[in-house]
Amino acid sequence: MEKLVIGHFYPDLLNLYGDRGNVLALMRRAQLRGIEVEVKRISIGDELKSGDIDIGFIGGGQDSEQNIMADDMRIKKGPVIKQMIEDGVVFLTVCGGYQMLGQYYEEHDGKRIECLGAMPHYTKGEKERFINDTVYEIEIGGKKVTVAGFENHSGRTYLGEGEEPFMKVIKGHGNNGEDGLEGVRYKNTFGTYSHGSLLPKNPAITDMLLELALKRKYGADYELSELATETEDLARKQALDYINGNTNGITNDL
Ligand code: GLN
């Protein structure tokens, strides 16, 4: 039986707007395919060794929480996380977690958080926050997929050399409100500003991440089995309808 180990980093500090739902979605869509899943909570002071995890998840946080975990991530776990990223371990990182993989995050008052420096992007905070229900587009397996999300950030992130955008912004601000780009992809590491949470209503992305992790572990020939997406598709349709103003009597109060 195949097994995946998901490392949930700093779950006690970085977990905004249902970010943990991403871990649950990865777990559920793997288990429904008969794949065993173990979730490890990895926080300040915890040891991390290479080979410990197949998928890493880092959620979003407030600036104050990013200040609390920054040194542990950079100094204690930094070399191992950097090596994992270079080795193609799958990572999904959201908002504050995405910012923390880059060079630095300069808060809107000018205070600088030194980040992990695993990737070249950097982030500058502004007073005005970007708060929106969002729509993005991504191509997965040659198919264009419309993605529903939610963003809430003061940071403006700029990608660097060797980094590809994760998605294209259709509605919302994405990385910085200027270049129409959303998130980052470097090897098998993904960063996004989308909370809300991203994976439960966008199963094509969940499956893409699972497949990357399983191919890495069990060989390039590994094929992820088919699995229905009706429930997730309904959730995405409702979110997209809401964003597009077709509420059909359904409101976000539900
Ligand atoms: N503190 C960061 C910002 O405001 C991240 C916020 C978040 O994770 N939602 O940009």
Side-chain angles (χ1 to χ4, degrees), residues 16-17 94 130-136 148-153 192-198 201 243 252:
L16 287 177
Y17 317 115
V94 179
F130 290 151
I131 307 175
N132 298 285
D133 290 311
T134 51
V135 182
Y136 317 110
F150 167 74
E151 65 181 351
N152 183 347
H153 53 112
T192 178
Y193 270 112
S194 186
H195 296 274
S197 35
L198 179 70
K201 52 187 175 318
I243 295 167
N252 262 2

Side-chain angles (χ1 to χ4, degrees), residues 131-137 146-151 169-173 194-198 201-202 234-248 250-252:
I131 307 175
N132 298 285
D133 290 311
T134 51
V135 182
Y136 317 110
E137 197 175 87
T146 303
V147 173
F150 167 74
E151 65 181 351
V169 177
I170 306 295
K171 278 197 177 168
H173 289 88
S194 186
H195 296 274
S197 35
L198 179 70
K201 52 187 175 318
N202 297 288
L234 266 177
R236 186 172 66 261
K237 183 178 178 313
Q238 183 179 326
L240 292 172
D241 281 354
Y242 184 80
I243 295 167
N244 291 322
N246 309 321
T247 54
N248 291 327
I250 297 167
T251 75
N252 262 2

Side-chain angles (χ1 to χ4, degrees), residues 16-17 19 59-63 66 94-97 99 105 123 129 152-156 193 195:
L16 287 177
Y17 317 115
D19 282 343
Q62 298 178 32
D63 296 0
Q66 289 174 240
V94 179
C95 203
Q99 295 170 351
Y105 170 41
T123 305
R129 300 186 70 81
N152 183 347
H153 53 112
S154 80
R156 275 63 165 161
Y193 270 112
H195 296 274

Side-chain angles (χ1 to χ4, degrees), residues 184-244:
V184 70
R185 177 172 186 172
Y186 170 70
K187 297 195 173 187
N188 288 338
T189 291
F190 298 82
T192 178
Y193 270 112
S194 186
H195 296 274
S197 35
L198 179 70
L199 299 186
K201 52 187 175 318
N202 297 288
I205 299 181
T206 316
D207 286 357
M208 175 184 78
L209 298 175
L210 289 174
E211 189 163 57
L212 285 171
L214 288 158
K215 278 187 187 297
R216 181 173 177 274
K217 190 163 185 180
Y218 295 105
D221 291 345
Y222 186 94
E223 276 183 34
L224 195 67
S225 57
E226 291 290 320
L227 185 67
T229 57
E230 275 98 343
T231 313
E232 294 93 331
D233 289 343
L234 266 177
R236 186 172 66 261
K237 183 178 178 313
Q238 183 179 326
L240 292 172
D241 281 354
Y242 184 80
I243 295 167
N244 291 322

Side-chain angles (χ1 to χ4, degrees), residues 6 46 78 84 88 147 156 164 216 239:
I6 302 176
D46 293 338
M84 285 177 169
V147 173
R156 275 63 165 161
E164 301 282 330
R216 181 173 177 274

